[in-house]
Amino acid sequence: MSRIAFIGLGNMGGPMAANLLKAGHTLHVFDLAAEAVAQAVSHGATAANTATDAVQGAEVVISMLPASRHVEGLYLGESGLLRHIADGALVIDCSTIAPASAQKVARAAGERGLTMIDAPVSGGTAGAAAGTLTFIVGGERDALERARPVLANMGKNIFHVGASGAGQVAKLCNNMALGVIMAVTGEAIALGVAHGLDPAVLSQMMAVSTARSWATEVCNPWPGVLENAPASRGYTGGFGNDLMLKDLGLAAEAAMGVGASIPLGELARNLYAMNSQAGHGGLDFSSVVKLVAKP
């Protein structure tokens, strides 16, 4: 078992930390939200007053933060954590950020003599709670093998996709596809409902037909179709619309960096931006269906 510092206890980080505690690891945790820290402490974690305090003596440092600026701000600079993490510690950033930011922080970690991987996740809050996340890892293979026992306590699938930053590229590819699929699934169900179809029956048919997807089976965008989906609880919880918007923006930046064309990805980004402007930014991203219907 490892002594782990866990920074960032939001909708994803909180359940991930809880699963590490269940596995017997010792966790020192930090988050700006006192309620999130208290929840982790209730599961057996030790609260740290600052992120710097959390990493003292840690063998593994895990971060799960909202955006590139938060990750760079945490690790870099005169007061950054890279100056305080113990020699030989393994650093795992599970945030979804720009590939260039992941490479920048990993390069700085290497200059400090630390090993770092980017390991963004897929699976949503349900996967975080169940310990069934998919980890998409960029970095040295040896570093991944060091991290594997810890990651395995939080997820069931671990993919090594390349060097530093590659995990972020692969995650953005996945989320771009997910954003497009969710938007068109909502449109399809809305079209069926407009013709008088039962959204549950239509969704059940789609879920065993060629339109089958995570959006039809796990996070259906129509209220009442799936009891545990965010749509059935007022689009609360889940993966926020503005987080999807952020990821689609990162995908657009990554595409521009290599001259790639992503017409559907760009269209989806605009749809989620419109949904945010309509006041739904804090709702689950499946609320994008509200642009075409009033479910």
Side-chain angles (χ1 to χ4, degrees):
M1 298 298 105
S2 300
R3 187 186 188 282
I4 298 173
F6 204 111
I7 316 296
L9 301 167
N11 290 337
M12 296 294 292
M16 291 166 66
N19 282 324
L20 290 173
L21 289 163
K22 289 177 186 176
H25 298 286
T26 299
L27 260 65
H28 288 243
V29 300
F30 177 75
D31 193 282
L32 295 176
E35 183 178 343
V37 173
Q39 182 69 16
V41 169
S42 74
H43 290 296
T46 298
N49 292 324
T50 66
T52 301
D53 289 342
V55 303
Q56 299 305 310
E59 300 166 273
V60 179
V61 176
I62 300 174
S63 51
M64 175 57 101
L65 301 176
S68 300
R69 67 182 185 276
H70 301 113
V71 174
E72 291 190 28
L74 177 68
Y75 287 108
L76 304 180
E78 292 296 322
S79 59
L81 286 191
L82 294 183
R83 292 180 174 268
H84 302 280
I85 297 172
D87 293 344
L90 173 65
V91 184
I92 305 171
D93 181 46
C94 295
S95 316
T96 298
I97 60 176
S101 288
Q103 292 166 343
K104 179 180 180 180
V105 178
R107 189 162 52 246
E111 292 170 356
R112 165 71 175 72
L114 298 169
T115 300
M116 184 172 189
I117 61 174
D118 48 290
V121 303
S122 180
T125 54
T132 57
L133 291 171
T134 293
F135 286 92
I136 310 162
V137 180
E140 296 295 328
R141 188 173 293 277
D142 288 348
L144 168 57
E145 293 311 314
R146 284 183 60 191
R148 190 179 294 276
V150 173
L151 299 181
N153 294 143
M154 300 181 286
K156 67 175 184 178
N157 300 301
I158 302 172
F159 292 92
H160 182 238
V161 294
S164 292
Q168 301 297 342
V169 174
K171 171 63 185 294
L172 295 177
C173 291
N174 179 80
N175 275 23
M176 183 175 72
L178 174 61
V180 172
I181 291 167
M182 180 60 76
V184 76
T185 298
E187 285 186 21
I189 297 173
L191 174 60
V193 170
H195 279 270
L197 300 187
D198 182 329
V201 174
L202 176 58
S203 296
Q204 291 165 8
M205 180 279 294
M206 293 170 66
V208 294
S209 301
T210 50
R212 179 181 182 182
S213 71
W214 189 80
T216 58
E217 296 180 70
V218 179
C219 189
N220 194 287
W222 205 269
V225 173
L226 294 178
E227 180 181 355
N228 295 322
S232 295
R233 52 176 188 267
Y235 297 97
T236 59
F239 184 62
N241 180 89
D242 282 356
L243 290 175
M244 175 56 79
L245 178 58
K246 178 206 76 170
D247 289 357
L248 289 168
L250 291 173
E253 290 177 14
M256 287 189 289
V258 294
S261 178
I262 54 166
L264 291 179
E266 291 278 16
L267 176 57
R269 192 198 68 78
N270 284 323
L271 289 173
Y272 290 99
M274 290 169 62
N275 198 40
S276 182
Q277 291 165 2
H280 306 146
L283 300 181
D284 182 73
F285 79 110
S286 60
S287 66
V288 71
V289 71
K290 290 176 174 285
L291 294 177
V292 296
K294 294 182 178 179

